[in-house]
Amino acid sequence: MPVDTKRVRGPEVSQSPSLFTNEPPVVVPSHGPRKDGRQRDQVDVRPVFVRCGLVSQAKGSAYIEAGDTKLMCCVYGPRETERKDDTDMKSGRLTTDMRFAPFSCPERGSWLQGSQDKDFSLMLHESLQPALCLHKYPRSQIEVNVMVLENSGSVLAHAVTCASMALADAGIEMYDMVLGCTLRQDGASYVVDPTYAEENSYGSVNSANVGSLAVAFMPSLNQISGLQSDGEMTEETLTAGLRTCIEGCYKIYPVIQQALAKAVRRVAPPPSES
């Protein structure tokens, strides 16, 4: 029988490499200070670094860095819609695409969009659409592309903030900016802007009040444009967490305003001397 030299013959039975690792499951204590020095049960967000206009090929772009979480967003358009059946549209259309780079976190392995990416893209769309004046862009579409370069927790909330900045940098008319904040509840304790380890920790597995909450908030209008909740939380805990996330959005609002003002001063012509 001829031997197929083009095929690498491997073992018929294999085991996952994770079986040979000695790393125990991540357990983050539900009391005491957090690993990065922030306090529990307080609106203690990570320091945020933001910058607009970094991608010259895009109509608008933004970069955000919160701790080790790093994201880039590019906005294209408004341009004529690609769908032929939308010629009578009286308002524009928003498309969002959020993807994780293969090196962003341990679970990623390719550039292809997975189910988690699609869920995040949908939640990003629902959070941004109420803030856009789409009626001023008939028969047009606006594309928002977010790439997660490093996932160190709270990527959805920071993606909302980054996309909002990129839309403003592109000159898209908006009712208000959209800011995001995430909260992780673990029994009677909570953490704001959780890290990747805090989001994926087991914590108090026996507690009945465990979950996470992500809020998209428009600060000038004082309105919530998006809300995503996972886990089991009581009504009182959910209401308190909502107020905490709104307060977290207000904490990063001045940083966003300064970055946008700096971007405008960079592209605006200097005042003429009379």
Side-chain angles (χ1 to χ4, degrees):
M1 182 177 180
V3 179
D4 188 357
T5 59
K6 296 183 179 180
R7 180 178 300 176
V8 179
R9 296 180 59 85
E12 297 181 357
V13 179
S14 61
Q15 294 179 330
S16 174
S18 60
L19 298 176
F20 301 93
T21 61
N22 295 324
E23 297 181 359
V26 179
V27 178
V28 177
S30 58
H31 59 277
R34 302 162 69 177
K35 188 175 181 180
D36 54 7
R38 291 182 292 159
Q39 299 297 321
R40 292 179 174 274
D41 304 323
Q42 295 183 13
V43 188
D44 201 351
V45 298
R46 288 175 287 185
V48 177
F49 171 81
V50 291
R51 186 69 61 85
C52 295
L54 297 180
V55 182
S56 58
Q57 293 83 358
K59 183 69 178 297
S61 61
Y63 171 81
I64 187 169
E65 186 174 315
D68 291 332
T69 297
K70 303 176 180 66
L71 300 95
M72 172 73 74
C73 178
C74 295
V75 173
Y76 302 92
R79 54 193 178 193
E80 185 178 358
T81 179
E82 298 177 355
R83 295 177 57 181
K84 302 302 181 181
D85 56 343
D86 289 342
T87 54
D88 297 330
M89 284 197 312
K90 295 183 180 180
S91 62
R93 183 162 58 98
L94 172 67
T95 62
T96 56
D97 183 62
M98 182 174 174
R99 296 174 186 263
F100 288 76
F103 47 82
S104 61
C105 54
E107 283 75 13
R108 302 304 302 171
S110 67
W111 292 98
L112 300 178
Q113 189 179 42
S115 59
Q116 184 186 31
D117 302 347
K118 294 180 180 179
D119 293 340
F120 279 161
S121 299
L122 178 60
M123 289 183 283
L124 182 64
H125 182 276
E126 294 177 349
S127 301
L128 295 175
Q129 188 168 8
L132 300 181
C133 302
L134 293 177
H135 63 280
K136 295 191 176 183
Y137 304 98
R139 296 181 297 276
S140 302
Q141 69 177 7
I142 301 170
E143 300 178 7
V144 176
N145 299 322
V146 175
M147 175 60 66
V148 180
L149 303 176
E150 185 172 354
N151 179 8
S152 184
S154 306
V155 287
L156 178 60
H158 294 302
V160 170
T161 304
C162 187
S164 178
M165 293 181 58
L167 287 166
D169 184 63
I172 305 299
E173 295 194 43
M174 306 170 66
Y175 297 107
D176 193 3
M177 295 292 296
V178 185
L179 308 179
C181 185
T182 306
L183 177 142
R184 167 76 179 179
Q185 186 75 34
D186 187 5
S189 177
Y190 67 85
V191 292
V192 177
D193 192 15
T195 62
Y196 185 82
E198 291 171 339
E199 284 182 335
N200 296 276
S201 67
Y202 289 90
S204 301
V205 294
N206 296 326
S207 176
N209 204 20
V210 175
S212 61
L213 179 67
V215 175
F217 182 68
M218 295 185 288
S220 297
L221 299 178
N222 195 26
Q223 294 181 1
I224 295 175
S225 62
L227 178 65
Q228 193 260 341
S229 176
D230 294 327
E232 298 182 2
M233 290 183 285
T234 62
E235 182 179 354
E236 294 78 9
T237 303
L238 193 61
T239 303
L242 195 61
R243 297 194 186 99
T244 303
C245 288
I246 291 175
E247 188 177 348
C249 292
Y250 276 121
K251 277 204 166 186
I252 65 173
Y253 191 32
V255 181
I256 306 304
Q257 289 177 313
Q258 292 177 8
L260 291 174
K262 184 177 180 180
V264 171
R265 288 194 298 266
R266 186 174 62 250
V267 299
S272 59
E273 298 180 359
S274 56

